[in-house]
Amino acid sequence: MFCRKSFLVVVFTVLGVFLLSGCGSTPTTPTLTPEEEKSLIREYGLGGDYVVRWPDGDIGVYDATGNATIRATIQRALNEWNAVIKSGGGKTRFYLSNDPNSPVKIFYDSSLEGCFSSKRTGDGYEITSFELRVSTNDAWCGFPDNYYAVFLQNFGGMIGIKWEKICSLQDGSCPYEAWTQYTSIPDIHKKAVRALYKVSPGYYVGIE
């Protein structure tokens, strides 16, 4: 009888340890090492061996289109990228602004040959402005269905990812079949942006 009770105690003890140590637990995503983060910044960032990004703080985004659907879609795309920056500890946030002098501006442009055109400028190691022009040719561009892809993809470039890394092609071009598929942020872009906004503009990420 003594041996039987002892055996049951051992069984329940082992079972309890098993349940507490692994069964039902949620696996955690491995964090990147500093060297892995530097490698991502070099590959996906604008500055080569140095960090080039927007400064910390709130960055205004002015929508000059007057289109309520576009405004709502801009907000949705900004929310996605803001969440990525915040999840890495970054302190930069983009928000819709009513100020036409905001550093980020979005316009209609009826003269565009393509569906959109963007321009990013900087000063030293900081991005200082971004303009996105959107075509009024809704039928050709598949608008309003493709608005989200336009903004989500272009805001990746606005934030500081190389253009050739944003699209699926490596030559810098982005045909219709490619940009219309950018409806969710790829994991590799999330990792690169988290790393980029974790450190200051001008931070050295070269190989020492």
Side-chain angles (χ1 to χ4, degrees):
M1 183 62 117
F2 175 78
C3 292
R4 185 176 179 182
K5 287 183 178 179
S6 298
F7 174 74
L8 289 175
V9 170
V10 171
V11 169
F12 285 123
T13 301
V14 172
L15 181 60
V17 171
F18 172 75
L19 290 173
L20 290 174
S21 62
C23 186
S25 64
T26 302
T28 57
T29 303
T31 56
L32 299 176
T33 67
E35 286 308 313
E36 288 172 330
E37 290 181 332
K38 288 180 180 181
S39 178
L40 278 175
I41 294 172
R42 288 195 302 270
E43 182 177 358
Y44 287 87
L46 304 173
D49 286 343
Y50 295 89
V51 168
V52 173
R53 66 166 177 85
W54 290 88
D56 291 345
D58 291 346
I59 309 295
V61 178
Y62 178 68
D63 170 28
T65 67
N67 183 317
T69 300
I70 283 182
R71 187 174 180 86
T73 309
I74 289 171
Q75 184 65 73
R76 180 184 167 198
L78 289 178
N79 289 345
E80 290 296 315
W81 282 111
N82 281 336
V84 172
I85 294 172
K86 185 177 180 180
S87 68
K91 298 178 181 179
T92 303
R93 182 183 72 95
F94 297 87
Y95 71 98
L96 273 171
S97 169
N98 293 320
D99 182 2
N101 294 316
S102 296
V104 179
K105 301 178 180 66
I106 298 168
F107 302 92
Y108 270 138
D109 189 341
S110 59
S111 68
L112 288 177
E113 294 183 2
C115 296
F116 56 85
S117 175
S118 59
K119 179 183 178 182
R120 178 181 55 208
T121 59
D123 182 11
Y125 297 116
E126 291 188 353
I127 301 172
T128 55
S129 70
F130 179 83
E131 288 187 359
L132 175 60
R133 298 180 181 273
V134 182
S135 173
T136 55
N137 193 336
D138 291 359
W140 178 262
C141 297
F143 297 149
D145 291 345
N146 287 330
Y147 278 148
Y148 187 59
V150 166
F151 296 124
L152 194 67
Q153 188 238 18
N154 274 279
F155 289 167
M158 170 188 75
I159 285 172
I161 300 178
K162 293 176 183 175
W163 292 123
E164 61 268 26
K165 290 293 185 177
I166 281 288
C167 204
S168 62
L169 303 184
Q170 295 300 306
D171 62 356
S173 65
C174 201
Y176 182 91
E177 296 78 9
W179 67 260
T180 53
Q181 301 303 309
Y182 203 100
T183 53
S184 62
I185 303 174
D187 189 53
I188 190 65
H189 289 170
K190 291 180 180 180
K191 291 178 180 178
V193 168
R194 288 187 191 115
L196 189 66
Y197 280 82
K198 184 181 290 186
V199 292
S200 303
Y203 183 81
Y204 181 70
V205 294
I207 299 174
E208 298 177 351

